[in-house]
Amino acid sequence: IQSAKSDTEIMSIVFNELSGKLELVDILNLLWSMAYAADDSIPSADVFFDDFSITDVYKMISELLEPFISSLAVKKNTK
């Protein structure tokens, strides 16, 4: 019987698996693409992110990745 893993353990496993496969620029481009899809009047990605602090960007990344990582962990645990 496999013991249940905590969310932190699951996130760590997923981050380790994604390590080296995704660069920060890839994630930032994804964030910008999502914002642009919602509002096509926003400026290009390099100008768009100038309006945010690194803390704001980190928060956006965390909010985006949390459900993504959780869904990957659920799929992994059901295999």
Side-chain angles (χ1 to χ4, degrees):
I1 297 176
Q2 186 177 4
S3 63
K5 294 187 184 330
S6 71
D7 288 344
T8 304
E9 289 173 314
I10 292 169
M11 291 179 83
S12 176
I13 291 166
V14 174
F15 274 120
N16 287 336
E17 288 187 16
L18 292 176
S19 178
K21 295 177 184 162
L22 285 177
E23 299 287 331
L24 180 59
V25 69
D26 298 323
I27 296 169
L28 293 176
N29 284 334
L30 177 61
L31 287 173
W32 179 83
S33 297
M34 292 170 67
Y36 188 79
D39 179 2
D40 64 2
S41 69
I42 67 168
S44 64
D46 50 330
V47 174
F48 176 73
F49 285 110
D50 284 344
D51 292 338
F52 297 97
S53 71
I54 192 66
T55 305
D56 293 333
V57 172
Y58 177 76
K59 185 175 178 181
M60 283 188 280
I61 291 170
S62 296
E63 290 173 0
L64 173 69
L65 287 182
E66 187 175 339
F68 173 71
I69 289 171
S70 295
S71 70
L72 288 177
V74 168
K75 288 179 185 178
K76 184 175 184 110
N77 285 337
T78 58
K79 289 185 177 181

